[in-house]
Amino acid sequence: QVQLVESGGGLVQAGGSLSLSCAVSGRAFSSRAMAWFRQAPGKEREFVARISWNSDSTYYADSVKVRFTISRDNVKNTVYLQMNSLKPEDTAVYYCAAGTSYAVPSSLSRSYDYWGQGTQVTVSS
């Protein structure tokens, strides 16, 4: 069983920064692609960023490119999302997700097997 626990959300003013963490317990973290998704009120869950199991590949949604950075530490079993220059439209519940071991990284939510409970990010204007 794989468990994911997000932390680091909160309230920030537009233009500010937040750093999210996702601690992963269970099997084979270091072999899994990881991703962040988000869901705003009344909207569908959307892809934010993903990183391959060995960190050699990252990919971002156009809406967050340049502003957000995904990274991981395979010793600490943790994936991070550094969010800079935050905008009110970044307000959402942010979820981390773990994919199948050694699978090709994907931006589709159905490609991820395990999900955290989410952490709220609110950006005020």
Side-chain angles (χ1 to χ4, degrees):
Q1 186 69 13
V2 177
Q3 293 184 325
L4 295 78
V5 179
E6 302 97 336
S7 61
L11 174 65
V12 64
Q13 288 188 333
S17 298
L18 280 176
S19 181
L20 304 184
S21 298
C22 175
V24 182
S25 60
R27 297 176 61 85
F29 169 80
S30 61
S31 67
R32 298 180 186 272
M34 298 294 298
W36 288 94
F37 289 78
R38 67 187 181 185
Q39 188 167 17
K43 295 187 177 181
E44 293 185 354
R45 188 172 298 186
E46 65 173 359
F47 167 78
V48 174
R50 58 173 166 83
I51 186 167
S52 59
W53 64 274
N54 60 358
S55 299
D56 69 348
S57 172
T58 59
Y59 185 77
Y60 299 90
D62 287 343
S63 59
V64 307
K65 204 171 292 183
V66 178
R67 300 188 296 122
F68 290 11
T69 302
I70 188 172
S71 61
R72 66 189 295 161
D73 185 330
N74 284 354
V75 173
K76 295 182 178 179
N77 282 12
T78 302
V79 62
Y80 306 96
L81 186 68
Q82 177 65 40
M83 305 185 294
N84 299 327
S85 303
L86 283 162
K87 304 176 182 180
E89 50 264 45
D90 294 318
T91 295
V93 177
Y94 283 71
Y95 300 89
C96 69
T100 304
S101 290
Y102 300 115
V104 175
S106 171
S107 303
L108 300 175
S109 59
R110 64 174 181 262
S111 298
Y112 293 86
D113 302 321
Y114 302 98
W115 293 81
Q117 82 289 348
T119 185
Q120 176 70 46
V121 171
T122 303
V123 184
S124 64
S125 58

